[in-house]
Amino acid sequence: AEARLATVEHAMHSLEELEKRSRMEAACVAGCQSSSLRKSSEALLRSLEQRADAAASEVEDARQGLAEAQRAADAARQRLHTRQREASNAVRELSRHRAAAAATTAGMRRRR
């Protein structure tokens, strides 16, 4: 999830940089006599804006995915700690029972 987020953030940043350059070029082309050059520049800018919007949406999805993965990891960690405590308590209880059984067995041997 973290790798996906880093990848889509990088892609979004790259698109934003391309969009900035395209806007600067569009400002220069605006005064140009060639209508096809202006239209091409405008089309490129629109395309970059759409791709940047899509990338922003992907970044948001990746952030949500990362947050969900972190919540799941936290829940798993909590379950692990709970189970470790339960296991430790069970081992302690078993040791107590063994000690009691050993004492009972030792007492029975002495009586004979």
Side-chain angles (χ1 to χ4, degrees):
E2 290 174 352
R4 178 176 178 246
L5 179 59
T7 300
V8 295
E9 282 180 333
H10 178 73
M12 188 175 82
H13 178 68
S14 296
L15 285 169
E16 287 171 345
E17 289 300 314
L18 285 171
E19 188 179 350
K20 281 181 194 176
R21 277 189 246 139
S22 182
R23 285 187 188 283
M24 288 188 299
E25 289 174 10
C28 294
V29 170
C32 181
Q33 296 293 324
S34 173
S35 65
S36 65
L37 187 57
R38 282 194 309 271
K39 287 179 184 178
S40 173
S41 178
E42 290 168 3
L44 175 62
L45 186 55
R46 278 192 304 273
S47 171
L48 288 172
E49 288 171 345
Q50 290 171 348
R51 289 169 56 195
D53 289 345
S57 177
E58 245 186 284
V59 165
E60 185 57 33
D61 290 347
R63 284 184 179 148
Q64 289 176 357
L66 178 59
E68 288 172 16
Q70 288 172 333
R71 282 191 296 274
D74 290 343
R77 204 173 295 111
Q78 184 62 37
R79 284 191 306 274
L80 173 64
H81 290 304
T82 299
R83 301 254 163 74
Q84 285 174 331
R85 270 194 312 274
E86 291 170 352
S88 178
N89 290 340
V91 167
R92 216 178 355 268
E93 187 66 19
L94 179 61
S95 294
R96 191 177 66 76
H97 283 290
R98 284 182 178 167
T104 301
T105 303
M108 293 173 91
R109 285 186 193 147
R110 279 188 240 150
R111 287 185 198 163
R112 291 182 185 179

